[in-house]
Amino acid sequence: MKKVAIVTGASSGMGREFVNTIDKRFSSIDEIWLISRRRDKLEEVRAEVNKPCLIIDEDISEAAFYYRFQKILRQESPNVKMLINAAGFGMVGEFDDIASEVLMGMVNTNCMGLTGMISLVIPYMCENSRIINFASSAAFTPQPGFSVYAATKSYVLSLSRALNRELEKKGIYVTAVCPGPVATEFFTIAESGKKRAWFKDVFMANKTDVVNQALSDSINKKELSVYGMPMKLFMVMTKVLPHRLLLFFYKFLLK
Ligand SMILES: NC(=O)c1ccc[n+]([C@@H]2O[C@H](COP(=O)([O-])OP(=O)(O)OC[C@H]3O[C@@H](n4cnc5c(N)ncnc54)[C@H](OP(=O)(O)O)[C@@H]3O)[C@@H](O)[C@H]2O)c1
């Protein structure tokens, strides 16, 4: 049975970085499955790597995708060693300034899509396999001005931590990755020309560093991967300070 790594969001940013890193570092993986909507970008990624890749150019926010994906899993019957759920997007702005389709798209991609992927793939995972889910430091508290995105990432974080406990008896380990701002296409989409909050540039991380840390945390069976001291401190603050106080400070930070 071929050993496979499945990466959603493989066309760009941290998903793409994961594909390149798995290709270089994991000789035990026979094939990488690349999932995202832009086929041309996935073709570029396939050309970048040495391992065989299966391109699945699909929109994971569409329920119909799951029937097609289930069929692929049944046909290929892979041994999935790694599932990386990196597909996702955010939109900055007040809730009632964002179109309903965009708000629902965030929930469908970041929550429904990720949940469906995990649910379909688990039956194809054996002992000593890994699931890596991209949450965000936005998962740690509610965020006015980024409310739906932060809520979807709280869902990912909560789900990942619970699943890690449920699945450890099967030898499947789940890590939630919670980076602060990372330089990728994410902000081009999330800000769509809006002014960036000053602190995001100050704490902007490099995607290679975030991905390397996530991989090493996953190998070490850690349920959380938080890159960099500033985000670790932020996480501690969100645990010790009342959220009412944090929400008060956000008013000034997000100006
Ligand atoms: N960058 C940050 O500051 C940051 C911080 C914390 C957490 N995160 C999270 O990290 C993950 C990776 O983000 P990134 O920074 O690498 O952003 P990115 O460069 O914009 O990559 C997002 C990926 O998701 C794919 N995608 C989006 N919607 C999709 C859909 N409906 N169906 C299939 N694929 C879809 C995109 O591909 P297509 O357009 O080709 O479909 C792309 O490959 C996301 O979950 C994001 O929320 C990002």
Side-chain angles (χ1 to χ4, degrees):
M1 217 188 286
K2 65 183 162 195
K3 292 185 178 158
V4 163
I6 302 179
V7 183
T8 74
S11 63
S12 161
M14 291 186 274
R16 187 166 179 160
E17 187 68 23
F18 252 108
V19 175
N20 280 291
T21 309
I22 291 168
D23 183 57
K24 284 192 205 98
R25 285 184 31 196
F26 290 82
S27 56
S28 59
I29 300 284
D30 302 312
E31 189 172 280
I32 310 176
W33 291 11
L34 314 175
I35 306 181
S36 82
R37 293 162 300 181
R38 289 172 294 173
R39 187 167 186 100
D40 56 331
K41 294 279 170 191
L42 293 180
E43 295 284 6
E44 276 176 24
V45 179
R46 175 153 65 183
E48 272 165 22
V49 299
N50 292 310
K51 290 188 194 294
C53 293
L54 177 68
I55 289 184
I56 304 174
D57 51 333
E58 290 267 14
D59 184 338
I60 68 157
S61 70
E62 285 178 5
F65 158 65
Y66 293 90
Y67 297 102
R68 295 193 286 272
F69 186 55
Q70 195 167 37
K71 212 169 141 195
I72 298 175
L73 285 168
R74 283 189 186 135
Q75 271 164 4
E76 300 283 324
S77 196
N79 173 5
V80 182
K81 297 302 292 177
M82 294 177 120
L83 168 63
I84 320 290
N85 282 305
F89 81 100
M91 188 56 67
V92 171
E94 303 252 316
F95 185 94
D96 54 3
D97 287 336
I98 301 174
S100 315
E101 307 86 80
V102 177
L103 296 173
M104 291 186 293
M106 266 187 275
V107 177
N108 290 343
T109 307
N110 302 355
C111 302
M112 188 198 82
L114 173 136
T115 309
M117 287 298 303
I118 298 171
S119 158
L120 290 181
V121 169
I122 284 174
Y124 296 89
M125 297 187 110
C126 303
E127 220 185 322
N128 204 20
S129 303
R130 300 289 190 277
I131 298 174
I132 299 179
N133 292 329
F134 271 85
S136 165
S137 60
F140 300 147
T141 66
Q143 283 206 6
F146 214 14
S147 61
V148 172
Y149 179 72
T152 64
K153 293 302 180 178
S154 295
Y155 171 90
V156 175
L157 177 56
S158 169
L159 175 73
S160 305
R161 298 184 85 170
L163 266 184
N164 189 43
R165 292 299 150 95
E166 284 185 21
L167 294 175
E168 67 186 352
K169 56 182 176 292
K170 292 187 174 167
I172 302 171
Y173 300 95
V174 185
T175 301
V177 186
C178 299
V182 186
T184 65
E185 284 179 17
F186 178 84
F187 282 107
T188 316
I189 297 161
E191 293 168 341
S192 301
K194 292 179 208 98
K195 193 175 146 239
R196 178 173 302 170
W198 62 269
F199 65 91
K200 293 200 172 158
D201 278 329
V202 174
F203 298 119
M204 193 67 75
N206 174 289
K207 62 180 187 243
T208 310
D209 298 335
V210 174
V211 165
N212 284 337
Q213 164 103 53
L215 262 174
S216 100
D217 287 336
S218 164
I219 290 163
N220 292 322
K221 303 176 183 168
K222 291 193 179 167
E223 68 176 21
L224 266 187
S225 178
V226 182
Y227 174 77
M229 196 44 76
M231 287 310 128
K232 288 190 171 104
L233 282 174
F234 176 60
M235 183 176 72
V236 173
M237 268 169 61
T238 62
K239 284 181 193 290
V240 296
L241 293 176
H243 281 192
R244 210 152 50 100
L245 187 65
L246 287 167
L247 288 168
F248 174 75
F249 284 123
Y250 274 151
K251 262 206 303 210
F252 303 101
L253 270 176
L254 295 171
K255 272 203 172 131

